[in-house]
Coordinates of all heavy atoms in Angstrom, one line a residue:
M140 N 79.3 111.1 58.3 CA 79.4 109.9 57.5 C 80.2 110.4 56.2 O 79.9 111.5 55.8 CB 78.1 109.4 57.0 CG 78.1 108.2 56.2 SD 76.5 107.5 55.7 CE 75.7 107.2 57.3
A141 N 81.1 109.7 55.9 CA 82.0 110.0 54.7 C 81.3 109.7 53.4 O 80.4 108.9 53.3 CB 83.3 109.2 54.7
S142 N 81.7 110.4 52.3 CA 81.0 110.1 51.0 C 82.2 109.7 50.0 O 83.3 110.0 50.1 CB 80.3 111.4 50.5 OG 81.3 112.4 50.2
M143 N 81.7 108.9 49.0 CA 82.5 108.5 48.0 C 81.7 108.8 46.5 O 80.6 108.6 46.5 CB 82.8 107.0 48.0 CG 83.6 106.6 49.3 SD 83.6 104.8 49.4 CE 85.1 104.5 48.4
N144 N 82.6 109.0 45.6 CA 82.1 109.1 44.2 C 82.4 107.9 43.5 O 83.5 107.4 43.5 CB 82.6 110.4 43.6 CG 82.2 111.6 44.1 OD1 81.0 111.8 44.5 ND2 83.1 112.6 44.3
V145 N 81.4 107.4 42.7 CA 81.6 106.0 42.0 C 81.1 106.3 40.6 O 80.0 106.8 40.4 CB 80.8 104.9 42.7 CG1 80.9 103.7 41.9 CG2 81.2 104.7 44.1
S146 N 81.9 105.9 39.6 CA 81.5 106.0 38.3 C 81.0 104.6 37.8 O 81.6 103.6 38.1 CB 82.7 106.4 37.4 OG 83.1 107.7 37.8
L147 N 79.9 104.6 37.1 CA 79.5 103.4 36.6 C 79.0 103.5 35.2 O 78.6 104.6 34.6 CB 78.0 103.0 37.3 CG 78.1 102.8 38.9 CD1 76.6 102.6 39.4 CD2 78.9 101.5 39.1
P148 N 79.1 102.3 34.4 CA 78.6 102.4 33.0 C 77.1 102.6 33.1 O 76.4 102.3 34.0 CB 78.9 101.0 32.4 CG 79.9 100.4 33.4 CD 79.7 101.1 34.7
D149 N 76.7 103.2 32.0 CA 75.1 103.5 31.9 C 74.2 102.3 32.2 O 73.3 102.5 33.1 CB 74.7 104.1 30.6 CG 75.2 105.4 30.4 OD1 75.6 106.1 31.5 OD2 75.3 106.0 29.2
P150 N 74.5 101.1 31.7 CA 73.6 99.9 32.0 C 73.6 99.6 33.5 O 72.5 99.2 34.1 CB 74.2 98.7 31.3 CG 75.0 99.4 30.1 CD 75.4 100.7 30.6
M151 N 74.8 99.7 34.2 CA 74.7 99.4 35.6 C 74.1 100.6 36.4 O 73.2 100.3 37.3 CB 76.2 99.4 36.1 CG 76.9 98.2 35.7 SD 78.6 98.1 36.4 CE 78.7 96.6 37.0
R152 N 74.2 101.8 36.0 CA 73.5 102.9 36.6 C 72.0 102.7 36.5 O 71.2 102.9 37.5 CB 74.0 104.2 36.0 CG 73.3 105.5 36.8 CD 73.3 106.6 35.9 NE 72.6 106.1 34.6 CZ 72.5 106.9 33.6 NH1 73.0 108.2 33.5 NH2 71.9 106.5 32.4
D153 N 71.6 102.3 35.2 CA 70.2 102.1 35.0 C 69.6 101.0 35.9 O 68.5 101.1 36.3 CB 69.9 101.8 33.5 CG 70.2 103.0 32.6 OD1 70.4 104.2 33.2 OD2 70.4 102.8 31.4
Y154 N 70.4 99.9 36.1 CA 70.0 98.7 36.9 C 69.8 99.2 38.3 O 68.7 98.9 38.9 CB 71.0 97.7 36.8 CG 70.7 96.5 37.7 CD1 69.8 95.6 37.3 CD2 71.3 96.4 38.9 CE1 69.4 94.6 38.1 CE2 71.0 95.4 39.8 CZ 70.0 94.4 39.4 OH 69.7 93.4 40.2
V155 N 70.8 99.9 38.8 CA 70.6 100.4 40.2 C 69.3 101.2 40.3 O 68.7 101.2 41.3 CB 71.9 101.2 40.6 CG1 71.6 101.8 42.0 CG2 73.1 100.2 40.7
Q156 N 69.1 102.1 39.3 CA 67.9 103.1 39.4 C 66.7 102.2 39.4 O 65.7 102.5 40.1 CB 68.0 104.0 38.3 CG 67.0 105.1 38.5 CD 67.1 106.0 39.8 OE1 68.2 106.4 40.0 NE2 66.0 106.0 40.5
R157 N 66.7 101.1 38.6 CA 65.5 100.3 38.5 C 65.2 99.7 39.9 O 64.1 99.5 40.3 CB 65.5 99.3 37.4 CG 65.4 99.7 36.0 CD 65.1 98.7 35.0 NE 66.2 97.7 35.0 CZ 67.3 97.8 34.2 NH1 67.6 99.0 33.5 NH2 68.2 96.9 34.3
R158 N 66.2 99.2 40.6 CA 66.1 98.6 41.9 C 65.6 99.6 42.9 O 64.7 99.3 43.8 CB 67.5 98.0 42.5 CG 68.2 97.1 41.5 CD 67.3 95.6 41.6 NE 67.7 95.1 42.9 CZ 67.0 94.1 43.5 NH1 65.9 93.7 42.9 NH2 67.3 93.6 44.6
I159 N 66.0 100.9 42.8 CA 65.4 101.9 43.6 C 64.0 102.2 43.3 O 63.1 102.3 44.2 CB 66.3 103.2 43.5 CG1 67.7 103.0 44.1 CG2 65.6 104.4 44.2 CD1 68.7 104.0 43.7
D160 N 63.7 102.3 42.0 CA 62.3 102.6 41.5 C 61.3 101.6 41.9 O 60.3 101.7 42.2 CB 62.3 102.8 40.0 CG 63.0 104.1 39.6 OD1 63.3 104.9 40.5 OD2 63.3 104.2 38.3
S161 N 61.9 100.2 42.0 CA 61.0 99.2 42.4 C 60.7 99.0 43.8 O 59.9 98.2 44.3 CB 61.5 97.9 41.8 OG 62.7 97.6 42.5
G162 N 61.4 99.8 44.5 CA 61.1 99.9 46.1 C 62.2 98.9 46.8 O 62.0 98.8 48.1
H163 N 63.0 98.3 46.2 CA 64.0 97.4 46.9 C 65.0 98.2 47.7 O 65.5 97.7 48.7 CB 64.8 96.6 45.9 CG 63.9 95.4 45.3 ND1 63.2 95.6 44.1 CD2 63.5 94.2 45.8 CE1 62.5 94.5 43.9 NE2 62.7 93.7 44.8
Y164 N 65.3 99.4 47.3 CA 66.2 100.3 48.0 C 65.7 101.7 48.1 O 65.0 102.1 47.1 CB 67.6 100.2 47.4 CG 68.2 98.9 47.4 CD1 68.1 98.0 46.4 CD2 69.0 98.5 48.5 CE1 68.7 96.7 46.5 CE2 69.5 97.1 48.6 CZ 69.3 96.3 47.6 OH 69.9 95.1 47.7
A165 N 66.0 102.4 49.1 CA 65.6 103.8 49.1 C 66.4 104.8 48.4 O 66.0 105.9 48.0 CB 65.6 104.2 50.7
S166 N 67.7 104.3 48.1 CA 68.7 105.3 47.4 C 69.9 104.5 47.0 O 70.0 103.4 47.2 CB 69.1 106.4 48.4 OG 69.9 105.8 49.5
V167 N 70.7 105.2 46.1 CA 71.9 104.5 45.7 C 72.8 104.2 46.9 O 73.3 103.2 46.8 CB 72.6 105.6 44.6 CG1 74.0 105.0 44.4 CG2 71.8 105.7 43.4
S168 N 72.8 105.1 47.9 CA 73.6 104.8 49.1 C 73.1 103.7 49.7 O 74.0 102.8 50.2 CB 73.6 106.0 50.0 OG 74.3 107.2 49.4
D169 N 71.9 103.4 49.9 CA 71.3 102.3 50.5 C 71.7 101.0 49.7 O 72.0 100.0 50.3 CB 69.7 102.5 50.6 CG 69.0 101.4 51.4 OD1 69.6 100.9 52.4 OD2 68.1 101.0 51.0
Y170 N 71.6 101.1 48.4 CA 72.0 99.9 47.6 C 73.5 99.6 47.7 O 73.7 98.4 48.0 CB 71.7 100.3 46.0 CG 72.1 99.1 45.2 CD1 71.2 98.1 45.0 CD2 73.2 99.2 44.4 CE1 71.4 97.1 44.1 CE2 73.5 98.2 43.5 CZ 72.6 97.1 43.4 OH 72.9 96.1 42.5
V171 N 74.3 100.5 47.7 CA 75.8 100.2 47.9 C 76.1 99.8 49.3 O 77.0 98.8 49.4 CB 76.6 101.5 47.6 CG1 78.0 101.3 47.9 CG2 76.4 102.0 46.0
R172 N 75.5 100.3 50.3 CA 75.7 99.9 51.7 C 75.3 98.3 51.7 O 76.0 97.6 52.4 CB 74.9 100.7 52.7 CG 75.6 102.0 53.0 CD 75.0 102.7 54.2 NE 73.5 103.0 53.9 CZ 73.2 104.3 53.5 NH1 74.1 105.2 53.2 NH2 71.9 104.5 53.2
D173 N 74.1 98.0 51.2 CA 73.7 96.5 51.2 C 74.7 95.7 50.6 O 75.1 94.7 51.0 CB 72.4 96.4 50.6 CG 71.8 95.1 50.7 OD1 71.8 94.5 51.8 OD2 71.4 94.4 49.6
L174 N 75.3 96.1 49.4 CA 76.2 95.3 48.7 C 77.6 95.2 49.5 O 78.0 94.0 49.7 CB 76.6 96.1 47.3 CG 75.6 95.9 46.2 CD1 76.1 96.8 45.0 CD2 75.2 94.6 45.9
I175 N 77.9 96.2 50.2 CA 79.2 96.1 51.0 C 78.9 95.2 52.2 O 79.7 94.4 52.6 CB 79.5 97.5 51.4 CG1 80.0 98.4 50.3 CG2 80.7 97.5 52.6 CD1 80.3 99.9 50.6
R176 N 77.7 95.3 52.8 CA 77.4 94.4 54.0 C 77.4 92.9 53.5 O 78.0 92.0 54.2 CB 76.0 94.7 54.5 CG 76.0 95.8 55.5 CD 74.6 95.8 56.3 NE 74.0 97.0 56.4 CZ 73.5 97.9 55.5 NH1 73.7 97.6 54.1 NH2 72.9 98.9 55.8
R177 N 76.9 92.6 52.3 CA 76.8 91.3 51.8 C 78.3 90.8 51.6 O 78.6 89.7 51.8 CB 76.0 91.2 50.6 CG 74.5 91.3 50.7 CD 73.8 91.4 49.4 NE 72.4 91.7 49.6 CZ 71.5 91.2 48.9 NH1 71.7 90.3 48.2 NH2 70.3 91.6 49.1
D178 N 79.1 91.7 51.0 CA 80.5 91.3 50.7 C 81.3 91.1 52.0 O 82.0 90.1 52.0 CB 81.2 92.4 49.8 CG 82.5 92.0 49.5 OD1 82.8 90.9 48.8 OD2 83.5 92.8 49.8
Q179 N 81.0 91.8 52.9 CA 81.8 91.7 54.3 C 81.3 90.3 54.9 O 82.1 89.6 55.3 CB 81.3 92.8 55.3 CG 82.1 94.1 55.0 CD 81.5 95.2 55.9 OE1 80.3 95.3 56.3 NE2 82.4 96.2 56.1
G180 N 80.1 90.0 54.9 CA 79.5 88.7 55.4 C 80.1 87.6 54.6 O 80.5 86.5 55.1
E181 N 80.2 87.7 53.2 CA 80.8 86.6 52.5 C 82.3 86.4 52.7 O 82.7 85.3 52.8 CB 80.6 86.9 51.0 CG 80.9 85.8 50.0 CD 80.5 86.3 48.6 OE1 79.3 86.5 48.3 OE2 81.4 86.1 47.8
T182 N 83.0 87.5 53.0 CA 84.4 87.5 53.2 C 84.6 86.8 54.6 O 85.5 85.9 54.7 CB 85.0 88.9 53.2 OG1 84.9 89.5 51.9 CG2 86.5 88.9 53.5
Q183 N 83.7 87.2 55.6 CA 83.8 86.5 56.9 C 83.6 85.0 56.8 O 84.2 84.3 57.5 CB 82.9 87.2 57.8 CG 83.4 88.6 58.3 CD 82.3 89.3 59.0 OE1 81.2 88.9 59.1 NE2 82.7 90.6 59.5
D184 N 82.6 84.6 56.0 CA 82.3 83.2 55.8 C 83.5 82.5 55.2 O 83.9 81.3 55.7 CB 81.0 83.0 55.0 CG 79.8 83.4 55.6 OD1 79.8 83.6 56.8 OD2 78.8 83.6 54.8
V185 N 84.2 83.0 54.2 CA 85.3 82.4 53.6 C 86.5 82.3 54.6 O 87.1 81.3 54.8 CB 85.7 83.2 52.3 CG1 87.1 82.6 51.8 CG2 84.7 83.0 51.3
E186 N 86.7 83.3 55.4 CA 87.8 83.3 56.4 C 87.5 82.3 57.4 O 88.5 81.6 57.9 CB 87.9 84.7 57.0 CG 88.5 85.8 56.1 CD 88.5 87.1 56.6 OE1 88.0 87.4 57.7 OE2 89.1 88.1 55.9
R187 N 86.2 82.1 57.9 CA 85.9 81.1 58.8 C 86.1 79.8 58.4 O 86.6 78.9 58.9 CB 84.4 81.4 59.4 CG 84.0 80.5 60.5 CD 82.5 80.8 60.9 NE 81.7 81.7 60.1 CZ 81.6 83.0 60.2 NH1 82.2 83.7 61.1 NH2 80.7 83.6 59.4
W188 N 85.7 79.6 57.1 CA 85.9 78.2 56.4 C 87.3 77.9 56.3 O 87.7 76.7 56.6 CB 85.3 78.3 55.0 CG 85.3 77.0 54.3 CD1 84.6 75.8 54.4 CD2 86.3 76.7 53.3 NE1 85.1 74.9 53.6 CE2 86.1 75.4 52.9 CE3 87.4 77.4 52.7 CZ2 86.8 74.7 51.8 CZ3 88.1 76.8 51.7 CH2 88.0 75.5 51.4
L189 N 88.2 79.0 55.9 CA 89.6 78.6 55.8 C 90.2 78.3 57.2 O 91.1 77.4 57.3 CB 90.3 79.8 55.2 CG 90.0 80.0 53.6 CD1 90.7 81.3 53.1 CD2 90.6 78.8 52.8
H190 N 89.8 79.0 58.2 CA 90.2 78.7 59.5 C 89.9 77.3 60.0 O 90.8 76.6 60.5 CB 89.7 79.7 60.5 CG 90.1 79.6 61.9 ND1 89.3 78.7 62.9 CD2 91.3 79.9 62.6 CE1 89.9 78.8 64.0 NE2 91.0 79.5 63.9
D191 N 88.6 76.9 59.8 CA 88.2 75.6 60.1 C 88.9 74.5 59.3 O 89.3 73.5 59.8 CB 86.7 75.4 59.8 CG 85.9 76.2 60.8 OD1 86.4 76.7 61.8 OD2 84.6 76.3 60.5
L192 N 89.3 74.8 58.0 CA 89.9 73.9 57.2 C 91.4 73.7 57.7 O 91.9 72.6 57.9 CB 90.0 74.4 55.8 CG 90.8 73.5 54.8 CD1 90.2 72.2 54.6 CD2 90.9 74.2 53.3
D193 N 92.1 74.8 58.1 CA 93.4 74.8 58.6 C 93.4 73.9 59.9 O 94.3 73.1 60.2 CB 93.9 76.2 59.0 CG 94.4 76.9 57.8 OD1 94.5 76.3 56.7 OD2 94.5 78.2 57.8
A194 N 92.4 74.1 60.7 CA 92.3 73.3 62.1 C 92.1 72.0 61.7 O 92.7 71.0 62.4 CB 91.1 73.9 62.9
S195 N 91.3 71.5 60.8 CA 91.1 70.2 60.3 C 92.4 69.5 59.9 O 92.6 68.4 60.1 CB 90.0 70.0 59.3 OG 89.8 68.7 58.9
I196 N 93.1 70.2 59.1 CA 94.4 69.6 58.5 C 95.4 69.5 59.7 O 96.1 68.4 59.7 CB 95.0 70.6 57.5 CG1 94.2 70.6 56.2 CG2 96.4 70.3 57.1 CD1 94.5 71.8 55.2
E197 N 95.4 70.4 60.5 CA 96.3 70.3 61.8 C 95.9 69.0 62.6 O 96.8 68.2 63.1 CB 96.3 71.5 62.7 CG 97.0 72.7 62.0 CD 98.4 72.5 61.8 OE1 99.0 71.8 62.6 OE2 98.9 73.0 60.8
R198 N 94.6 68.8 62.8 CA 94.2 67.6 63.5 C 94.5 66.3 62.7 O 95.0 65.3 63.3 CB 92.6 67.6 63.7 CG 92.2 68.6 64.8 CD 90.7 68.4 65.2 NE 89.8 68.4 64.1 CZ 89.3 69.6 63.7 NH1 89.6 70.7 64.2 NH2 88.5 69.6 62.6
G199 N 94.4 66.4 61.4 CA 94.7 65.2 60.7 C 96.2 64.9 60.7 O 96.7 63.8 60.9
L200 N 97.0 65.9 60.7 CA 98.4 65.7 60.8 C 98.9 65.3 62.2 O 99.8 64.4 62.3 CB 99.2 67.1 60.5 CG 99.2 67.6 59.0 CD1 99.8 68.9 59.0 CD2 99.9 66.6 58.1
A201 N 98.3 65.8 63.1 CA 98.5 65.2 64.4 C 98.1 63.7 64.7 O 98.9 63.0 65.3 CB 97.8 66.1 65.6
D202 N 97.0 63.5 64.0 CA 96.5 62.0 64.2 C 97.6 61.1 63.4 O 97.9 60.1 63.9 CB 95.2 61.8 63.4 CG 94.1 62.3 64.3 OD1 94.4 62.4 65.6 OD2 92.9 62.5 63.8
A203 N 98.0 61.6 62.2 CA 98.9 60.8 61.5 C 100.2 60.6 62.3 O 100.9 59.5 62.3 CB 99.3 61.5 60.1
E204 N 100.7 61.7 62.9 CA 102.0 61.6 63.7 C 101.8 60.7 64.9 O 102.9 60.0 65.3 CB 102.3 63.0 64.2 CG 102.9 63.9 62.9 CD 103.3 65.3 63.5 OE1 103.2 65.6 64.6 OE2 103.6 66.2 62.6
A205 N 100.6 60.6 65.4 CA 100.4 59.8 66.6 C 100.0 58.3 66.2 O 99.7 57.6 67.0 CB 99.3 60.4 67.5
G206 N 100.0 58.1 64.8 CA 99.6 56.7 64.4 C 98.1 56.4 64.5 O 97.8 55.3 64.4
R207 N 97.4 57.5 64.5 CA 95.9 57.2 64.6 C 95.3 57.3 63.1 O 94.4 58.1 62.8 CB 95.2 58.2 65.4 CG 95.5 58.1 66.9 CD 94.8 59.1 67.7 NE 95.0 60.5 67.4 CZ 95.9 61.3 68.1 NH1 96.6 60.8 69.0 NH2 96.0 62.5 67.7
T208 N 95.9 56.5 62.2 CA 95.3 56.5 60.9 C 95.1 55.0 60.3 O 95.5 54.1 61.0 CB 96.4 57.1 59.9 OG1 97.7 56.3 60.0 CG2 96.7 58.6 60.3
H209 N 94.4 54.9 59.2 CA 94.2 53.6 58.6 C 94.6 53.7 57.2 O 94.5 54.7 56.6 CB 92.7 53.2 58.8 CG 92.2 53.3 60.1 ND1 92.4 52.2 60.9 CD2 91.5 54.2 60.8 CE1 91.8 52.4 62.1 NE2 91.2 53.6 62.0
D210 N 95.1 52.6 56.7 CA 95.5 52.5 55.3 C 94.2 52.5 54.5 O 93.2 51.9 54.8 CB 96.2 51.1 55.0 CG 96.6 51.0 53.6 OD1 97.7 51.6 53.3 OD2 95.9 50.2 52.9
L211 N 94.2 53.4 53.5 CA 93.1 53.6 52.6 C 92.6 52.4 51.9 O 91.4 52.1 51.9 CB 93.3 54.7 51.6 CG 92.1 55.1 50.7 CD1 91.0 55.5 51.5 CD2 92.6 56.1 49.8
D212 N 93.6 51.6 51.4 CA 93.2 50.3 50.7 C 92.6 49.4 51.6 O 91.5 48.7 51.3 CB 94.4 49.7 50.1 CG 95.0 50.5 48.9 OD1 94.1 51.2 48.2 OD2 96.1 50.4 48.6
D213 N 93.1 49.3 52.9 CA 92.5 48.4 53.9 C 91.0 48.9 54.2 O 90.1 48.0 54.4 CB 93.3 48.3 55.1 CG 94.6 47.6 54.9 OD1 94.7 46.8 53.8 OD2 95.6 47.7 55.7
A214 N 90.9 50.1 54.5 CA 89.5 50.6 54.8 C 88.5 50.4 53.7 O 87.4 50.0 53.8 CB 89.6 52.1 55.1
C215 N 89.0 50.6 52.4 CA 88.1 50.4 51.3 C 87.7 49.0 51.1 O 86.5 48.6 50.9 CB 88.8 51.0 50.0 SG 88.7 52.8 50.0
D216 N 88.7 48.1 51.3 CA 88.5 46.7 51.2 C 87.4 46.2 52.3 O 86.5 45.4 52.0 CB 89.7 45.8 51.4 CG 90.6 46.0 50.2 OD1 90.2 46.4 49.1 OD2 91.8 45.7 50.3
A217 N 87.5 46.8 53.5 CA 86.7 46.4 54.6 C 85.2 46.9 54.3 O 84.2 46.2 54.4 CB 87.1 47.0 55.9
I218 N 85.1 48.1 53.6 CA 83.7 48.6 53.3 C 83.1 47.7 52.3 O 82.0 47.4 52.3 CB 83.9 50.1 52.9 CG1 84.3 51.0 54.1 CG2 82.6 50.6 52.2 CD1 84.6 52.4 53.6
I219 N 84.0 47.4 51.2 CA 83.4 46.6 50.2 C 82.9 45.2 50.6 O 82.0 44.8 50.3 CB 84.5 46.5 49.1 CG1 84.7 47.8 48.3 CG2 84.1 45.3 48.0 CD1 85.9 47.9 47.4
D220 N 83.8 44.6 51.6 CA 83.4 43.4 52.1 C 82.1 43.4 53.0 O 81.2 42.5 52.8 CB 84.5 42.9 53.1 CG 85.8 42.4 52.3 OD1 85.7 42.1 51.1 OD2 86.8 42.3 53.0
R221 N 81.8 44.5 53.7 CA 80.6 44.7 54.3 C 79.5 44.8 53.4 O 78.3 44.2 53.7 CB 80.6 45.9 55.3 CG 81.4 45.6 56.6 CD 81.2 46.7 57.6 NE 81.5 48.0 57.1 CZ 82.5 48.7 57.6 NH1 83.2 48.3 58.6 NH2 82.6 50.0 57.1
I222 N 79.6 45.5 52.4 CA 78.5 45.8 51.3 C 78.2 44.4 50.8 O 77.1 44.0 50.5 CB 78.9 46.7 50.3 CG1 79.0 48.1 50.9 CG2 78.0 46.7 49.0 CD1 79.7 49.2 49.9
R223 N 79.3 43.6 50.3 CA 78.9 42.3 49.8 C 78.4 41.4 50.8 O 77.4 40.6 50.4 CB 80.3 41.6 49.3 CG 80.9 42.3 48.0 CD 82.1 41.7 47.6 NE 82.6 42.3 46.4 CZ 83.8 42.5 46.0 NH1 84.8 42.1 46.8 NH2 84.2 43.1 44.9
T224 N 78.7 41.4 52.1 CA 78.1 40.6 53.1 C 76.6 40.8 53.2 O 75.8 40.0 53.3 CB 78.8 40.8 54.4 OG1 80.2 40.3 54.2 CG2 78.2 39.9 55.5
R225 N 76.2 42.2 53.3 CA 74.9 42.6 53.3 C 74.1 42.2 52.1 O 73.0 41.8 52.3 CB 74.8 44.0 53.6 CG 75.2 44.5 55.0 CD 75.1 46.0 55.2 NE 75.8 46.3 56.6 CZ 75.9 47.5 57.0 NH1 75.6 48.5 56.1 NH2 76.4 47.8 58.1
A226 N 74.7 42.5 51.0 CA 74.1 42.1 49.8 C 73.7 40.6 49.6 O 72.6 40.3 49.2 CB 74.9 42.6 48.5
S227 N 74.5 39.9 50.1 CA 74.4 38.3 50.0 C 73.4 37.9 51.0 O 72.7 36.8 51.0 CB 75.7 37.6 50.2 OG 76.3 37.8 51.4
A228 N 73.3 38.6 52.1 CA 72.3 38.2 53.1 C 70.8 38.7 52.8 O 69.8 38.2 53.4 CB 72.7 38.9 54.5
Q229 N 70.7 39.6 51.8 CA 69.3 40.0 51.3 C 68.7 38.9 50.7 O 69.1 38.2 49.8 CB 69.5 41.1 50.3 CG 70.1 42.4 51.0 CD 69.3 43.2 51.9 OE1 68.0 43.1 51.7 NE2 69.7 43.9 52.9
P230 N 67.3 38.7 51.1 CA 66.6 37.7 50.3 C 66.3 38.2 48.9 O 66.1 39.4 48.6 CB 65.3 37.6 51.0 CG 65.2 38.8 51.9 CD 66.6 39.4 52.0
Q231 N 66.4 37.2 47.9 CA 66.2 37.6 46.5 C 65.0 37.0 45.9 O 64.3 36.2 46.1 CB 67.4 37.2 45.7 CG 68.7 37.9 46.3 CD 69.9 37.6 45.4 OE1 69.9 37.1 44.4 NE2 71.0 38.1 45.9

């Protein structure tokens, strides 16, 4: 296993030591490994989200090119009409 040297300001070093003393971590190395694992997971989540977003945009563009879209004003008007119809049908 490789080793690295890290310099920390005193308040950060003290914080890490308190985490170790409280039993949350066995050592400084354990603490740093946990931080790296969390960062790797977060990075993978962001990459997955961006990939899904790109795919969604591509599907939307393909739908637009194929004419599978609706005018936003027309769609909003239809929703408002349905809300008004339901509201007027409610007993008062």
Side-chain angles (χ1 to χ4, degrees):
M140 185 178 303
S142 65
M143 298 176 81
N144 293 321
V145 178
S146 298
L147 298 173
D149 289 343
M151 288 180 132
R152 183 203 54 185
D153 295 344
Y154 176 79
V155 172
Q156 190 59 52
R157 284 193 307 274
R158 298 290 284 161
I159 293 165
D160 293 344
S161 69
H163 287 93
Y164 295 94
S166 66
V167 172
S168 294
D169 187 36
Y170 181 81
V171 171
R172 281 190 295 268
D173 185 52
L174 290 178
I175 292 169
R176 276 194 226 60
R177 290 176 191 220
D178 184 53
Q179 285 174 327
E181 192 174 301
T182 299
Q183 289 170 351
D184 289 346
V185 168
E186 288 173 356
R187 189 173 17 262
W188 179 82
L189 288 172
H190 178 268
D191 291 348
L192 178 62
D193 286 344
S195 178
I196 290 169
E197 288 299 322
R198 284 191 305 274
L200 291 172
D202 284 344
E204 288 174 8
R207 294 184 299 262
T208 59
H209 300 281
D210 181 76
L211 181 59
D212 289 332
D213 293 342
C215 289
D216 289 344
I218 292 168
I219 291 168
D220 288 344
R221 282 196 305 245
I222 291 170
R223 287 183 177 143
T224 300
R225 287 181 185 170
S227 66
Q229 296 284 331
Q231 296 186 14

